[in-house]
Amino acid sequence: MPNLRTSSFSRRGLLAAGGAIGLGAALTACGDGDEKSSASDAGAKDSGPWSFKDDRGQTVKADSVPKNIVAFIGVAAALHDYGIEVKGVFGPTKTSDGKADVQAGDLDVNKVEVLGNVWGEFNVEKYAGLAPELLVTAMWEKDALWYVPDQSKDKILQLAPSVALWAAQTTMPKAIQRHEDLAASLGADVKAKKVTDAKAAFEKAAARLRAAAKSQPNIKVMIGSASQDLFYVSLAKTSADTLYFQELGVQFVEPKVNEAGFFEELSWENVDKYDADIIMMDNRSSALQPDALTSKPTWAKLPAVKAGQVIPRTTEPIYSYDKCASILDALAEAIEKAKKAG
């Protein structure tokens, strides 16, 4: 990933840290008016004019419901859970061994055209060949299309209308609702049993996490992401998933964040700066996983590590009820079983 600069920090840094922008934070808060746009506003019909108001506040219009859809992999996975399939994807889709990346969810990555698998990679020629009718991606900062390269953005946006959905400065339920709104506008049956069952499971899991947090008020959770040289501790309120967990009562370590406001970078010598009973580790393929940290003595000495209380964090959630319910359940289980370690 090139070391591009946004208005105040590098995108490489954002993607490296587990809980900040590529991990769940935006520079500008999402306006309430945008979040409240619903599927009914979009006019979900199989024929006739189609429109959808996205989270930039832009209303996208077409003569008919788009069929040739290209999306960021996480958004594509969410649409898949609602029964909407895409023609092409971009973003972390396949791992180095050719298997589906964690961000692909249940999507069959061999049945879609992969336009780019890493940051800065987007094959415009292949994109044009798909005759795209709609481009959909996440938005971590206002008006910035996630994984759409700045250097080719103008060419890409000339080929089809685009929709951007907030993945930060919102909460998990609101983000799910917006993905469901889009799916409904594209023809999904959001009242199908599969969807309503998944929503019920999500609500049950949320209640479980609330109860777990209430029963274990002294358990403190740290949001971490590892690179070879640095350990990043993220601020919960800046990410849609962890902000929601916080609202449900989960207690988080509050780092002294850098100027950007999303996370604190710690050297491995100082990785024990904060006491934590559970560590949630960035599960994306761009971050080092716990089994790769065994050579770092300071990591092994952390109380949560010694207690075996390190769990994966789905840093870029797939915003469907089905995928988010399991995230809530996993954290609830970890808190239910946790012993005071830090």
Side-chain angles (χ1 to χ4, degrees):
M1 180 188 302
N3 192 14
L4 301 175
R5 298 293 298 180
T6 62
S7 57
S8 63
F9 47 81
S10 78
R11 294 192 177 190
R12 173 180 289 179
L14 291 175
L15 195 60
I21 289 229
L23 320 175
L27 294 177
T28 307
C30 178
D32 289 341
D34 291 347
E35 286 186 357
K36 293 177 182 177
S37 174
S38 67
S40 59
D41 296 330
K45 297 179 180 179
D46 289 333
S47 61
W50 173 86
S51 67
F52 184 83
K53 185 177 181 182
D54 78 353
D55 290 348
R56 294 171 296 183
Q58 297 182 12
T59 299
V60 183
K61 298 181 179 181
D63 292 337
S64 60
V65 177
K67 298 298 182 185
N68 289 354
I69 303 166
V70 172
F72 172 69
I73 184 62
V75 178
L79 291 175
H80 172 80
D81 285 352
Y82 287 103
I84 301 299
E85 304 301 340
V86 304
K87 299 289 187 180
V89 297
F90 53 96
T93 302
K94 295 182 179 181
T95 57
S96 57
D97 59 3
K99 295 180 180 178
D101 189 273
V102 65
Q103 295 190 59
D106 293 333
L107 195 67
D108 187 340
V109 297
N110 295 312
K111 291 185 177 179
V112 291
E113 186 75 56
V114 180
L115 304 177
N117 201 59
V118 298
W119 185 266
E121 185 179 270
F122 192 114
N123 191 313
V124 181
E125 185 177 349
K126 281 187 178 181
Y127 178 58
L130 294 174
E133 297 172 308
L134 182 66
L135 176 78
V136 191
T137 191
M139 184 169 63
W140 298 98
E141 53 179 313
K142 185 65 174 175
D143 297 330
L145 302 182
W146 192 232
Y147 269 80
V148 175
D150 288 339
Q151 63 269 29
S152 54
K153 180 179 67 175
D154 291 345
K155 290 181 180 179
I156 292 167
L157 296 182
Q158 286 175 0
L159 295 170
S162 63
V163 161
L165 298 178
W166 274 115
Q169 295 297 327
T170 184
T171 63
M172 182 177 274
K174 291 178 181 178
I176 294 172
Q177 184 60 57
R178 292 297 289 140
H179 284 70
E180 183 173 291
D181 290 344
L182 177 60
S185 81
L186 295 170
D189 179 5
V190 297
K191 297 187 184 301
K193 188 175 186 301
K194 177 183 176 182
V195 177
T196 57
D197 284 353
K199 184 174 183 179
F202 175 86
E203 292 170 348
K204 183 178 179 181
R208 179 186 179 186
L209 180 55
R210 187 188 297 276
K214 186 176 181 179
S215 69
Q216 293 264 54
N218 295 322
I219 294 298
K220 186 159 285 190
V221 180
M222 182 161 65
I223 309 162
S225 184
S227 70
Q228 191 60 44
D229 299 321
L230 294 171
F231 185 80
Y232 301 84
V233 181
S234 294
L235 189 62
K237 69 179 182 180
T238 58
S239 184
D241 59 333
T242 48
L243 172 59
Y244 183 52
F245 304 158
Q246 199 168 45
E247 290 179 351
L248 292 174
V250 177
Q251 301 298 310
F252 286 99
V253 167
E254 295 195 5
K256 294 181 179 179
V257 295
N258 60 19
E259 184 179 354
F262 305 109
F263 55 86
E264 179 179 3
E265 303 102 326
L266 299 176
S267 67
W268 283 104
E269 289 75 18
N270 297 315
V271 75
D272 60 352
K273 180 176 180 179
Y274 299 105
D275 290 334
D277 305 297
I278 296 173
I279 303 176
M280 300 178 67
M281 289 293 288
D282 184 353
N283 74 336
R284 295 169 308 155
S285 54
S286 57
L288 291 181
Q289 299 306 303
D291 59 2
L293 303 177
T294 54
S295 63
K296 297 186 180 296
T298 52
W299 167 258
K301 292 178 182 178
L302 292 177
V305 176
K306 290 195 290 185
Q309 294 176 173
V310 177
I311 64 172
R313 177 198 175 200
T314 303
T315 304
E316 292 190 54
I318 294 166
Y319 286 114
S320 68
Y321 288 113
D322 179 65
K323 297 301 179 292
C324 289
S326 59
I327 293 172
L328 295 173
D329 271 326
L331 181 55
E333 181 178 3
I335 293 175
E336 288 164 356
K337 294 180 176 178
K339 305 296 183 183
K340 191 66 183 171

